[in-house]
Structures are given as C-alpha cells and as structure tokens.
Amino acid sequence: SQQGEEDPQALSIQEGENATMNCSYKTSINNLQWYRQNSGRGLVHLILIRSNEREKHSGRLRVTLDTSKKSSSLLITASRAADTASYFCATAEASGAGSYQLTFGKGTKLSVIP
Amino acid sequence: GAGVSQSPRYKVAKRGQDVALRCDPISGHVSLFWYQQALGQGPEFLTYFQNEAQLDKSGLPSDRFFAERPEGSVSTLKIQRTQQEDSAVYLCASSLIEGPGLDEQFFGPGTRLTVL
C-alpha cells in the first residue's frame, strides 16, 4: 500500500519558474524523504527531513515538514529543463517487523519547458 | 565508485516460467532492499536484508516470491511460476547503515519484467 499522496499528479512550468509539490501522509513517521526518477538516471535520493525538523535546504531545493498536518512540500527554485522528472515522497514508518519501512507515494510528474 | 547494479535490465518471460533477478549493492552497504514498481506508481516495498539476514519480507506478494542474500552482498529475487500481474520494474536499493528508512537509499536501474 502507498501512504504518501503527492499533489499535483502532474505539473508543467516554464524554465526559470519555481515548482512546488506537496505530499500528505497518514501515520507517524521517523523521517520523510524526496526522490527523483527519470529514465536517464533512475531513482535518486534528493533530501531527507527528520520528524523533529521543520525545514531543510539543499541547493535549489527546499523541503518543509508539518507533522501536525502530516504534510510536506518540495520547492524547486529557478527550474531547469534537466529537472524534468517524476518526484516521489517516501515516509519511513515503523513496520510490524520491528524496524522501519520506506513507503513511497505515486509521484508528481514535473515537466520543465525550455 | 560504482553504484548499485542490476541484471538483467530487461526480462521477458512466458507465464509459468521462473525468473531470477540479480542485484549487486554498493560495496560495504549493510542494508539491501527490493521494491516493485508498477507503471505510473511509486515503488512498493518487497523485502529487506541486513547483511545476510532477511529481517522483513512483509511486502512479498505471494509465496512465489523468494529473495536471498547468502553472503551479505549480492542478492537474488526469484519469482516462481510467473503471472501477468508480476509484470513490473523490480528495483534494488542499498544503504550504508542498519535500519531501513533511516538513511538515504541508493537505487539500481531496475529490471523491467514483462510476463506474456
């Protein structure tokens, strides 16, 4: 089953604009991670934010986490054509086996038009 | 250094055939994971190894799916008597530390399995 739900499902913007993607989840988490997937490079980890953190930056990426609303957002500033990809949020939640499982959402498909 | 590699990249099987998918994780990575990704969906967890021990197999969809990592490095996912609903991309990932979900995972390119 998939816990995270990304919104929107698809997003098309012009190069240079900012792109914002949202993720909502249902259960308590240890951390939330964002991944990017395109046909050229497969699935690549972008950023991890722990449940006690509210905001994190990495280059042109900004991630926020609101555990009270069980939601996160990923902002990509000054987008480039190379940012065209599918973006997934993944939540680390306790599994019944006594450890944590990484559960992915369905993804947001971002298209950046040159 | 080398990333996670998977082979074959593409596999076509007739319904009822057995298949074996291989994963070579990053050297020294303790944790290894298998995921199944259907078209248009996010990856879904199948199973997790810490070194050679399979600590979580709660995501395996049926007893036709079997995974092993006998020496704590290379892993094989085997699917017996394949069915059409097994068609998907199978992703392998590894991470340096123990504890799935607690650190970033490095993914391989995947094996696209098509069952006719």
Side-chain angles (χ1 to χ4, degrees):
Chain A
S1 63
Q2 302 193 291
Q3 134 133 291
E5 290 284 337
E6 288 91 344
D7 167 57
Q9 290 186 345
L11 179 61
S12 184
I13 59 173
Q14 295 287 330
E15 200 167 30
E17 292 181 338
N18 296 342
T20 300
M21 288 160 268
N22 303 296
C23 170
S24 59
Y25 58 92
K26 295 174 185 165
T27 65
S28 296
I29 61 172
N30 175 278
N31 65 70
L32 186 144
Q33 303 179 29
W34 285 90
Y35 286 80
R36 179 182 65 212
Q37 186 176 43
N38 59 31
S39 57
R41 290 196 60 197
L43 200 64
V44 174
H45 179 268
L46 295 176
I47 198 164
L48 182 154
I49 185 166
R50 302 198 184 279
S51 58
N52 60 353
E53 296 176 308
R54 292 297 167 257
E55 187 171 311
K56 206 161 183 181
H57 297 254
S58 176
R60 293 184 296 112
L61 307 179
R62 172 178 169 253
V63 168
T64 62
L65 179 65
D66 186 335
T67 52
S68 66
K69 294 181 180 177
K70 292 187 167 54
S71 67
S72 173
S73 68
L74 170 68
L75 168 68
I76 304 174
T77 59
S79 63
R80 305 168 182 168
D83 295 329
T84 294
S86 290
Y87 291 80
F88 296 92
C89 70
T91 51
E93 56 195 85
S95 74
S99 63
Y100 287 91
Q101 251 180 43
L102 203 57
T103 305
F104 286 80
K106 294 184 180 180
T108 292
K109 197 166 186 177
L110 173 66
S111 299
V112 181
I113 303 165
Chain B
V4 178
S5 61
Q6 293 184 246
S7 61
R9 292 291 310 276
Y10 303 90
K11 177 70 179 176
V12 178
K14 291 184 179 177
R15 190 160 55 96
Q17 279 185 332
D18 297 349
V19 298
L21 313 180
R22 177 187 168 108
C23 172
D24 284 84
I26 294 172
S27 177
H29 276 197
V30 170
S31 297
L32 184 144
F33 316 86
W34 283 97
Y35 293 87
Q36 181 189 60
Q37 186 174 23
L39 192 64
Q41 303 291 314
E44 291 213 15
F45 171 83
L46 294 177
T47 187
Y48 158 61
F49 289 87
Q50 185 183 108
N51 296 306
E52 69 278 2
Q54 188 175 21
L55 297 188
D56 187 348
K57 53 181 181 180
S58 61
L60 295 177
S62 77
D63 58 8
R64 296 186 295 104
F65 287 70
F66 172 77
E68 59 183 6
R69 193 186 184 197
E71 297 177 359
S73 55
V74 171
S75 177
T76 303
L77 176 67
K78 297 179 180 177
I79 309 173
Q80 297 176 324
R81 304 181 303 282
T82 53
Q83 304 294 315
Q84 285 189 319
E85 61 262 28
D86 299 336
S87 295
V89 175
Y90 291 86
L91 297 168
C92 175
S94 68
S95 71
L96 183 59
I97 64 173
E98 300 169 7
L102 299 183
D103 198 2
E104 67 174 292
Q105 295 183 16
F106 295 83
F107 281 80
T111 294
R112 183 178 296 276
L113 173 65
T114 302
V115 181
L116 303 177

